[in-house]
Each structure stands twice: as structure tokens, then as C-alpha cells.
Amino acid sequence: MEHQGAAGQGPEWGPEGAERYPAPGSGQGRRRTQADRDAITVEIGYALFSGVFAAALVFGAVAGPAFFFALPEWAERALPLAGGTLAAAVFVLRITHVLWRFGRRGPDRAGSDGTAADG
């Protein structure tokens, strides 16, 4: 039994199991160019770098006092734990934010208006 496409427009798969692509000009299913793939690679690298940087800042701000000041023992244990937890959350949120914005914007329009890639 063949799986039907959207609104009964026929099967999603061709006769030999090859995926059928949307009609030309529909804006869906176009092949990515090398420039598109390069833009995605750069954006992933930027997301990782900025995520690590933001996480390091958060960790330093929260856990730093435990390393530089004489604090009660509970604080010396709690601050690095809280800093690590917050840093991990900031890392994930930053990467998600950068890549989500890039995905909505698309690789062919990234930075074309002369603005920075992240705002």
C-alpha cells in the first residue's frame, strides 16, 4: 500500500522508493548550493563559539566568588554547581537561539542586508 501525499496528491515515493520532490518553483526541496552549505557550517561554528563564550561568562560570574573569596563551605560547593548548571542552560539556549534565527532567515539571505549575522 502506497503512502499518500498531502491532500491526496499521489504517493510520496517514486516507483523505486526514491523520494519525490515538490514541484519546481514551490520554494521547497531545492538543492543546497556550496555557498548554502558553507553558510550553515559558519553559522554552526558561530553558534558553538558564542555559546561557549556566554556559558563561560555565566559560570565565571556565578562561581567566581567561590574561588576568590573566603565563603562558607556550603557556598563554596553550591556556587560552582549553580554556575555549571546555569552555564549549561545558557549554552543550549544560545545555540538554539542562533540556529533558530538562521533557520528562519535561511542560508541564502544570511547577512545580505549588511547587518551582523546575529543582530
Side-chain angles (χ1 to χ4, degrees):
M1 181 167 137
E2 288 187 7
H3 180 72
Q4 293 294 314
Q9 295 175 350
E12 285 183 35
W13 304 94
E16 288 134 28
E19 188 174 351
R20 188 176 290 176
Y21 292 97
S26 67
Q28 300 175 1
R30 73 174 180 90
R31 297 183 70 101
R32 288 192 173 116
T33 65
Q34 184 62 44
D36 291 342
R37 290 190 301 271
D38 290 346
I40 292 167
T41 301
V42 167
E43 199 69 16
I44 290 170
Y46 170 71
L48 289 171
F49 179 79
S50 66
V52 167
F53 185 74
L57 286 177
V58 168
F59 181 78
V62 174
F67 300 123
F68 295 109
F69 300 113
L71 298 174
E73 185 178 335
W74 66 268
E76 288 185 357
R77 285 189 301 208
L79 288 177
L81 180 64
T85 302
L86 288 173
V90 166
F91 177 75
V92 169
L93 289 173
R94 179 65 185 161
I95 289 176
T96 302
H97 174 75
V98 170
L99 294 179
W100 192 286
R101 284 187 61 185
F102 181 77
R104 284 191 294 164
R105 183 172 63 235
D108 53 345
R109 296 185 337 201
S112 63
D113 58 353
T115 60
D118 190 41

